[in-house]
Structure formats: structure tokens, C-alpha cells
Amino acid sequence: MNILIFNFIHQLAGRYFWLDVLMVFFALYFPYLLGIFALILPLAEKKWRLRWLFYFEMAFAVILGRGLITEIIRYFYAHPRPFDFFHFTPLISESGNSFPSGHAVFFFALAIIILFWRPKWGWFYLASAAVLSFARIYAGIHWPLDILGGAAIGLACGFAVYYLFRPTETALKKTSA
């Protein structure tokens, strides 16, 4: 099933130049824009302690998911990327094991934290994480299950971190800066 879904999505690569350019943008460059904008979002918090808590939650969720859990899984479970399995040249270069998708973990964890702090932007980040994840399948560097696994880890880390620090946020909102 993983191969079937991958082939269904990746079969479009190389057929339409404009679609390839768009997917390379979403897979390779769009994550930088999302990351930069995520650093700006907490600045809207009026209380400086809440602003720092927002930053801390984003960083902690991303480090837990991408920096720790993903690397532990990749250390014990080697899974080749689609271009290594099928022996083709992907639209963008990537190396290492493919499961779970580090980009999916990073941006889904980030999206959940943003969703709790800024709901409108959080939904945008969730949709953006899905689009850039799809683009990475299209580009030939991830399997669909890499993305699903990464999304699940990212979502779990985002929820865990937010609920871990929710009492702190509640206390900070009650006190004055």
C-alpha cells in the first residue's frame, strides 16, 4: 500500500515543469518561511513571560520530536528512501534514513503549539505541514508512511508539551507582567 500511494503521487513528477517547481518550493524552501514566521508569532503576546513560554513550548516540542524521538527511531530502524529503493534521481537531494519524516515531525509539532496559542495561525500551520509533507512525497524523498509516522510523532509531542506546560500558562495569565 505504501508503494502504491507513493507511485500514485510521484508519477506526476517530471511531467509538468510548473508543478515540479511548485513542489520543490513547498518541499525545500517553504519550511524556511514557516520557521521564520513562527519566530515572529510570539511577539504578539503582551506579557513577556507568556511570550517566552510560547517560544519555549515551540522549541521543546520540536526538540523532543525531531531532535530526540526521530533520531532514536532512525538509529534503531534503517529505512531506505524511495529514490534509493527504486534507483531514480529525486527532485531534491536528501540523505539518511527516511522514517520518520523529520520535516513532518518538526512542522506538525510546531503547528500544534501554535494552534493552542494562535488558533487561526495554527490551522494555517497544520495545512502547511500537510502540503510540505505531500511535496516531499512528490519529490521522491519520502514514503507516505514516513509522513504519517512523522505527523503522528509531531502531533503527540505538540500535545504533550502543551499540556505539560498548561498549568504554567494559566498561572502566568492570572499574574501581571
Side-chain angles (χ1 to χ4, degrees), residues 60-75:
F60 192 62
V62 165
I63 290 168
L64 176 65
R66 176 61 183 97
L68 187 65
I69 296 172
T70 299
E71 293 306 315
I72 289 170
I73 292 170
R74 286 183 177 178
Y75 182 78

Side-chain angles (χ1 to χ4, degrees), residues 83-130:
F83 62 86
D84 287 332
F85 184 79
F86 288 120
H87 306 291
F88 66 86
T89 303
L91 294 179
I92 57 179
S93 64
E94 194 70 52
S95 61
N97 294 324
S98 69
F99 184 86
S101 167
H103 281 77
V105 172
F106 187 101
F107 286 102
F108 277 100
L110 190 66
I112 289 301
I113 298 298
I114 292 171
L115 183 67
F116 284 115
W117 284 85
R118 297 275 179 269
K120 289 179 185 176
W121 285 109
W123 289 111
F124 170 77
Y125 267 80
L126 279 172
S128 297

Side-chain angles (χ1 to χ4, degrees), residues 12 14-24 138:
L12 297 171
R15 289 189 183 184
Y16 306 101
F17 175 75
W18 61 271
L19 189 56
D20 288 354
V21 169
L22 188 64
M23 289 296 136
V24 166
Y138 179 96

